[in-house]
Amino acid sequence: VQLQASGGGLVQAGGSLRLSCAASGRTRSNNPMSWFRQAPGKEREFVAGIQWTDGTTEYDDSVQGRFTISRDNAKNTVHLQMNSLKPEDTAVYFCAVPSNRLIRSNWYPRHMYTYWGQGTLVTVSS
């Protein structure tokens, strides 16, 4: 599985960005695709995830109500719409896919994921 992330950039606080992650190779429809982020000096953390089959979503509390994850099954692509961005959202954002089906409570730990995109930098200025 290969993952290609895009869409990062520089934006002012309160602005919006849309990230995309295109998957190729042997993806499994029962597996979720998730976004993680890693700020300088911090651990990589779960942001949001979506199940390919039924569109079930999960969000970390820090982005709930501001970020929306969606999927385009025909294009094997997942988007992360980020609104009302804050300086604390500044990080490198990674998309990731596990090699096995995960229950939702297991979407959060980074070690559950096998395949990772290259990361895209989001910088939010105050």
Side-chain angles (χ1 to χ4, degrees):
V1 177
Q2 293 81 44
L3 303 175
Q4 181 69 42
S6 61
L10 173 64
V11 65
Q12 289 188 333
S16 299
L17 280 175
R18 188 192 195 210
L19 306 183
S20 297
C21 183
S24 60
R26 298 188 63 182
T27 57
R28 298 185 178 182
S29 61
N30 284 335
N31 295 352
M33 179 182 284
S34 296
W35 285 96
F36 285 74
R37 65 185 180 187
Q38 188 166 16
K42 295 189 176 181
E43 295 290 320
R44 193 170 298 186
E45 63 180 7
F46 175 86
V47 175
I50 188 166
Q51 186 67 265
W52 284 107
T53 51
D54 61 8
T56 298
T57 59
E58 180 76 17
Y59 297 93
D60 184 73
D61 288 346
S62 64
V63 306
Q64 181 76 47
R66 300 188 298 121
F67 291 11
T68 302
I69 189 169
S70 62
R71 75 206 194 284
D72 182 339
N73 287 24
K75 296 182 179 180
N76 251 15
T77 300
V78 167
H79 304 287
L80 185 68
Q81 179 66 42
M82 306 185 296
N83 298 330
S84 302
L85 283 161
K86 305 175 181 179
E88 50 264 44
D89 294 318
T90 294
V92 178
Y93 284 71
F94 300 87
C95 53
V97 172
S99 56
N100 299 305
R101 184 175 183 177
L102 300 178
I103 58 175
R104 285 177 66 181
S105 60
N106 281 339
W107 287 14
Y108 284 76
R110 59 174 292 189
H111 69 266
M112 301 302 289
Y113 292 79
T114 305
Y115 306 101
W116 292 84
Q118 83 283 10
T120 184
L121 177 62
V122 172
T123 304
V124 184
S125 62
S126 57

